[in-house]
């Protein structure tokens, strides 16, 4: 059985693995901003970094709860090896599926004619534009 991981190791693992499929891990600044936006709990990017590398050993309860909420894991992830193992396996499954799905799409696209690949690219561009517009409009305040 593996040695129990520290809070910092578990947080660093979440940072490295839990992020949208089309990008690299969140920066410490993005995490601090996301935590504040989702939970109202404020912490600096430096504080997040110190927690992730183990420079700060005793995080506040509110910070632990906010980080768990940001990453979508139970608070017990940080303290219970069994829960952490279960969550990590679920994350691994999602990452593996995500990677294999992207690979499958790329392989299928390569079998298309150049003209059809251009059509698929145009459709992806339209979907991306639609998502960007929807995301921007969702952040605006609605008139009263």
């Amino acid at each position: 059985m593996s040695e129990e991981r520290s809070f910092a190791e578990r947080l660093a693992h979440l940072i490295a693995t839990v992020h949208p499929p089309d990008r690299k891990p969140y920066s410490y600044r993005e995490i601090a901003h996301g935590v504040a936006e989702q939970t109202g709990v404020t912490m600096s990017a430096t504080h997040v970094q110190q927690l992730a590398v183990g420079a700060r050993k005793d995080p506040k309860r509110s910070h632990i709860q906010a980080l768990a909420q940001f990453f979508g894991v139970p608070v017990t992830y940080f303290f219970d090896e069994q829960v952490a193992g279960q969550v990590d396996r679920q994350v691994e499954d999602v990452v593996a599926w995500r990677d294999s799905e992207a690979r499958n799409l790329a392989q299928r696209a390569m079998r298309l004619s150049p003209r059809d690949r251009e059509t698929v690219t145009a459709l992806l561009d339209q979907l991306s534009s639609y998502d960007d517009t929807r995301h921007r409009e969702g952040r605006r305040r609605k008139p009263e």
Side-chain angles (χ1 to χ4, degrees):
M1 187 160 226
S2 66
E3 200 173 297
E4 192 160 317
R5 296 174 296 162
S6 68
F7 177 88
E9 290 169 323
R10 292 175 194 210
L11 178 57
H13 180 72
L14 289 175
I15 292 170
T17 58
V18 179
H19 54 82
D22 57 345
R23 59 161 291 160
K24 293 182 179 185
Y26 294 110
S27 69
Y28 298 127
R29 178 172 285 151
E30 289 173 313
I31 294 168
H33 178 77
V35 162
E37 194 173 83
Q38 284 185 19
T39 69
V41 174
T42 58
M43 55 194 325
S44 69
T46 302
H47 187 81
V48 174
Q49 186 260 344
Q50 290 172 338
L51 290 172
V53 300
R56 287 218 165 163
K57 304 271 187 211
D58 199 16
K60 291 180 180 179
R61 181 182 299 172
S62 62
H63 289 164
I64 296 168
Q65 291 169 331
L67 287 165
Q69 184 175 336
F70 176 80
F71 285 107
V73 299
V75 172
T76 52
Y77 174 85
F78 292 110
F79 305 106
D80 184 316
E81 190 63 32
Q82 187 175 6
V83 171
Q86 183 180 12
V87 169
D88 288 345
R89 284 188 295 280
Q90 291 170 347
V91 169
E92 287 170 16
D93 289 346
V94 169
V95 169
W97 178 86
R98 185 173 69 196
D99 292 345
S100 65
E101 184 68 17
R103 197 169 35 255
N104 180 32
L105 287 171
Q107 289 170 342
R108 290 173 62 192
M110 291 309 297
R111 291 192 293 262
L112 297 173
S113 70
R115 182 171 157 239
D116 289 345
R117 282 196 302 260
E118 287 178 21
T119 302
V120 169
T121 299
L123 286 169
L124 290 171
D125 290 343
Q126 283 182 322
L127 287 171
S128 179
S129 175
Y130 172 74
D131 282 346
D132 290 345
T133 302
R134 195 171 47 159
H135 183 70
R136 278 193 309 273
E137 288 176 356
R139 290 189 173 216
R140 288 189 202 152
R141 294 185 81 177
K142 295 183 179 163
E144 295 180 26

